[in-house]
Amino acid sequence: MGGRAYGTYDACYILFQAASRSMLTVIVRQTTETERLDILAGEHLGDGRLWWVIAGASGIGWNLQVPPGTYLRIPTDISQVSALVG
């Protein structure tokens, strides 16, 4: 990844639309207390710097920490993300 849309509002909007329309393969997960998007991105996407991918797909804004009970859409195939925004 590293295209011009990487980590931008436009990229996040594209990811949110794709996830909402089932054009992006995701798992849905509800957060527990103290979970952070960068940690989840490291676990699921292999790189904590991709936290914005989860935020964008989930439509939740730009915070690394989200309230417990927040539903996240976590992409399962980073190549799909790259194809959309790369």
Side-chain angles (χ1 to χ4, degrees):
M1 293 187 90
R4 63 189 169 125
Y6 180 87
T8 65
Y9 172 81
D10 291 338
C12 289
Y13 181 76
I14 290 166
L15 292 176
F16 177 71
Q17 292 299 315
S20 296
R21 295 178 178 150
S22 299
M23 298 169 56
L24 183 63
T25 306
V26 299
I27 59 169
V28 176
R29 177 171 173 196
Q30 189 175 20
T31 59
T32 59
E33 194 169 328
T34 71
E35 286 189 305
R36 291 172 33 140
L37 296 184
D38 57 338
I39 303 300
L40 293 172
E43 292 172 4
H44 292 276
L45 303 174
D47 187 342
R49 295 174 296 174
L50 297 176
W51 65 269
W52 64 270
V53 171
I54 298 171
S58 303
I60 59 170
W62 290 97
N63 291 319
L64 289 175
Q65 193 162 348
V66 293
T70 301
Y71 284 93
L72 300 176
R73 294 180 187 145
I74 304 173
T76 60
D77 185 351
I78 200 66
S79 66
Q80 288 181 331
V81 173
S82 293
L84 288 168
V85 300

